[in-house]
């Protein structure tokens, strides 16, 4: 016969110990932060947990949980523990992640160490060979070994590592879709300051060597560009001659005719003197 687990019997003394549980909750917080009792949960024989609403503005949705207990054949109830627990609508921190998964570019500082695991998919042995069957043929030799031969490194970039780096560089600020590349007068592939990379990256990327360029010392794609292109020319602007400005506010406008004398418009005697004309009319 299998034994069935019986439900604990509610202890009336523990359930009625609301005031004692509230005082214990106030000790871990503040009296004004302990709200109304939400419920009393029967945890076991003579073991009850009182839940109080938390009014602390820093913990919305949380509640105080105070567990009280009464010993067998004892008359007094004692407090077992008092904690602050999150409720269904509590504001919780994000799920904890290992430091390797939390690490972001730029987090590594001076003196920090970032060891690469043995199974890092971005790396592979520097002298690995791929065998086709029992013998290594010409197509079976690993191409990466040819590129890295003689450099003395235990591990080099794997195909996955190269693809991840190429995608990161090409879609970043040093790729062809950045605003500065769209406004550039030419591509990096035609710039004299661009130094191609070695290996398979040579087909798509190089390093900028122009100290005045924003990407100096950085990896750029061949179809990237900036205003510091080696063949950039200053646009020549044609300036038109300015029309002279004639001040007609203090002088009279004279209209000349080929056969007649100059005609003066609305000229007073004082203005004629200023123009060098006699004040008396001619006979």
């Amino acid at each position: 016969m299998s034994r069935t687990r019986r439900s604990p019997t509610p202890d009336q003394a523990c359930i009625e110990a609301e005031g004692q549980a509230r005082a214990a909750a106030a000790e871990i917080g503040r009296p004004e932060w302990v709200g109304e009792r939400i419920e009393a949960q029967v945890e076991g024989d003579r073991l009850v947990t009182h839940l109080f609403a938390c009014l602390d503005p820093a913990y919305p949705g949380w509640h105080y949980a105070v567990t009280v207990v009464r010993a067998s054949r004892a008359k007094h109830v004692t407090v077992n523990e008092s904690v602050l627990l999150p409720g269904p609508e509590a504001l919780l921190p994000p799920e904890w992640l290992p430091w390797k998964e939390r690490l972001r570019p730029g987090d590594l500082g001076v003196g920090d160490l970032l060891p690469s695991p043995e199974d890092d998919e971005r790396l592979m042995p520097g002298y690995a060979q791929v065998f086709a069957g029992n013998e290594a043929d010409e197509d079976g030799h690993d191409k990466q070994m040819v590129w890295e031969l003689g450099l003395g490194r235990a591990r080099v970039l794997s195909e996955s590592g190269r693809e991840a780096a190429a995608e990161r560089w090409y879609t970043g600020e040093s790729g062809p879709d950045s605003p500065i590349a769209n406004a550039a007068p030419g591509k990096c592939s035609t710039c004299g300051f661009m130094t191609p990379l070695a290996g398979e990256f040579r087909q798509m990327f190089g390093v900028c060597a122009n100290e005045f360029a924003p990407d100096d010392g950085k990896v750029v794609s061949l179809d990237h560009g900036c205003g510091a292109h080696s063949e950039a020319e200053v646009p020549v602007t044609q300036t038109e001659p300015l029309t002279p400005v004639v001040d007609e506010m203090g002088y009279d406008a004279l209209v000349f005719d080929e056969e007649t004398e100059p005609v003066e418009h609305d000229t007073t005697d004082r203005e004629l003197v200023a123009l060098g004309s006699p004040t008396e009319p001619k006979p």
Side-chain angles (χ1 to χ4, degrees):
M1 296 179 61
S2 60
R3 301 179 56 186
T4 57
R5 184 179 179 182
R6 66 179 181 85
S7 301
T9 303
D11 187 80
Q12 192 64 25
C14 292
I15 295 177
E16 295 178 355
E18 177 182 354
Q20 188 176 356
R22 180 180 294 274
E27 292 180 0
I28 63 175
R30 293 182 181 180
E32 61 270 19
W33 289 351
V34 182
E36 299 180 356
R37 186 176 72 170
I38 301 175
E39 62 176 332
Q41 298 178 352
V42 179
E43 307 291 350
D45 294 338
R46 300 179 301 278
L47 187 65
V48 176
T49 298
H50 295 266
L51 300 179
F52 299 94
C54 179
L55 304 181
D56 186 357
Y59 291 89
W62 289 60
H63 55 253
Y64 293 99
V66 181
T67 302
V68 296
V69 62
R70 184 177 67 85
S72 179
R73 295 187 296 274
K75 297 182 180 181
H76 300 287
V77 177
T78 58
V79 176
N80 188 16
E81 64 177 355
S82 302
V83 293
L84 184 62
L85 299 178
E89 300 179 356
L91 181 63
L92 300 177
E95 184 181 358
W96 182 85
L97 295 175
W99 68 271
K100 291 184 179 180
E101 299 181 18
R102 299 196 309 266
L103 194 64
R104 293 293 180 268
D107 291 346
L108 194 66
V110 179
D112 296 337
L113 296 179
L114 182 60
S116 299
E118 293 293 335
D119 58 348
D120 195 334
E121 63 178 6
R122 301 172 299 172
L123 300 173
M124 62 177 295
Y127 299 97
Q129 282 184 329
V130 179
F131 290 91
N134 296 327
E135 297 181 357
D137 55 7
E138 183 178 356
D139 295 333
H141 287 287
D142 181 43
K143 296 181 180 179
Q144 185 66 22
M145 181 189 67
V146 178
W147 288 112
E148 307 295 342
L149 186 63
L151 297 182
R153 292 185 291 176
R155 292 188 292 176
V156 294
L157 275 176
S158 64
E159 182 179 358
S160 176
R162 292 194 299 271
E163 291 179 355
E167 182 178 0
R168 186 173 61 253
W169 296 342
Y170 198 78
T171 58
E173 292 296 328
S174 299
D177 297 330
S178 60
I180 192 173
N182 295 330
K187 303 298 182 182
C188 291
S189 58
T190 60
C191 181
F193 296 106
M194 194 275 296
T195 303
L197 294 178
E200 296 183 4
F201 285 132
R202 185 185 184 93
Q203 303 175 9
M204 294 182 60
F205 301 100
V207 177
C208 180
N210 189 347
E211 61 179 321
F212 301 106
D215 296 315
D216 179 37
K218 299 179 180 179
V219 177
V220 295
S221 64
L222 298 184
D223 48 0
H224 182 65
C226 69
H229 195 279
S230 61
E231 308 307 320
E233 298 180 356
V234 179
V236 179
T237 57
Q238 297 180 356
T239 58
E240 298 180 356
L242 298 178
T243 304
V245 179
V246 179
D247 184 10
E248 298 181 354
M249 296 298 295
Y251 302 92
D252 291 333
L254 302 180
V255 179
F256 292 90
D257 194 357
E258 295 180 356
E259 298 179 356
T260 61
E261 294 293 331
V263 179
E264 300 174 357
H265 298 279
D266 299 335
T267 305
T268 60
D269 293 344
R270 179 179 298 179
E271 292 172 346
L272 291 175
V273 174
L275 293 173
S277 301
T279 57
E280 297 294 334
K282 293 181 179 181

